[in-house]
Amino acid sequence: MTLRTLLEADDVRRAITRMAHELVEHDPDAERLVLLGIPTRGAVLAKRLGEQMTRIAGREIPVGVLDVTLYRDDLAGQPTRPTRRTDVPVDLDGATVVLVDDVLYSGRTVRAALDALTAFGRPAVVRLAVLVDRGHRELPIRPDAVGRNLPSAKTERVRVTLTEVDGADAVTIEGAEQ
């Protein structure tokens, strides 16, 4: 098995900055914009995106956390995970919600997030921002802002590490030697 680094700390920082600009361009007045990060690393990315978007838009962008654990359709086939705290900082009715996650793969986590959102209101628009889109979608889900498109084999493992969780920023891919 080989481990390759695809993005280093500066690359991750630049990707987040680019994504922040793209998201503000989609919603220039940012009046009803809110970011909801999917734990664990999506929540960290949402915080970073929110800081960048606040600087760009010139107004505070609310940032929260949306735990999707109990809304997943694959709980039976995976180890039990502890639920995390959900924090929705504003009323979502009529808001533009940006769901934020680290890696988009099958789309099932995003589907669970869409289900979880219904417990907190009815947003006017829901967008999706991911640091890495690796393809292999099982559901018709497409991100609005992507840090890096990364075609990969299903047998490969893409891993995002972030300083706040893992001690360093990077995106790596692990797979069989070619």
Side-chain angles (χ1 to χ4, degrees):
M1 297 293 249
T2 61
L3 181 68
R4 295 176 295 163
T5 300
L6 302 170
L7 298 178
E8 294 180 349
D10 283 343
D11 302 317
V12 171
R13 182 187 47 76
R14 280 192 297 274
I16 291 170
T17 300
R18 186 176 60 255
M19 291 167 59
H21 279 279
E22 289 174 14
L23 291 166
V24 170
E25 287 173 13
H26 278 298
D27 197 357
D29 66 1
E31 195 59 38
R32 297 279 297 139
L33 189 62
V34 60
L35 302 178
L36 294 178
I38 300 170
T40 297
R41 289 165 190 82
V44 172
L45 289 168
K47 183 175 184 287
R48 290 189 193 181
L49 272 171
E51 290 167 356
Q52 289 289 328
M53 292 171 70
T54 293
R55 183 183 55 75
I56 295 163
R59 66 173 291 284
E60 188 71 26
I61 305 296
V63 177
V65 177
L66 183 66
D67 180 47
V68 303
T69 303
L70 298 178
Y71 295 88
R72 295 189 63 90
D73 65 0
D74 59 356
L75 282 177
Q78 295 199 12
T80 305
R81 354 170 153 201
T83 57
R84 309 278 174 102
R85 175 183 62 89
T86 289
D87 173 28
V88 178
V90 296
D91 179 19
L92 297 184
D93 287 335
T96 296
V97 173
V98 179
L99 297 172
V100 182
D101 207 1
D102 57 347
V103 178
L104 178 58
Y105 181 44
S106 67
R108 293 189 177 280
T109 299
V110 176
R111 190 222 37 91
L114 292 169
D115 287 349
L117 270 179
T118 63
F120 298 98
R122 187 165 190 241
V125 176
V126 178
R127 299 194 196 291
L128 176 61
V130 298
L131 185 59
V132 176
D133 181 355
R134 64 172 292 189
H136 304 290
R137 218 78 75 240
E138 296 172 3
L139 300 170
I141 291 173
R142 181 180 52 89
D144 298 283
V146 179
R148 173 91 182 256
N149 285 298
L150 178 63
S152 61
K154 285 187 173 190
T155 57
E156 293 175 312
R157 183 168 190 267
V158 174
R159 181 154 191 253
V160 171
T161 59
L162 298 172
T163 302
E164 297 88 334
V165 179
D166 310 292
D169 287 352
V171 175
T172 58
I173 188 166
E174 183 177 4
E177 288 195 42
Q178 298 179 19

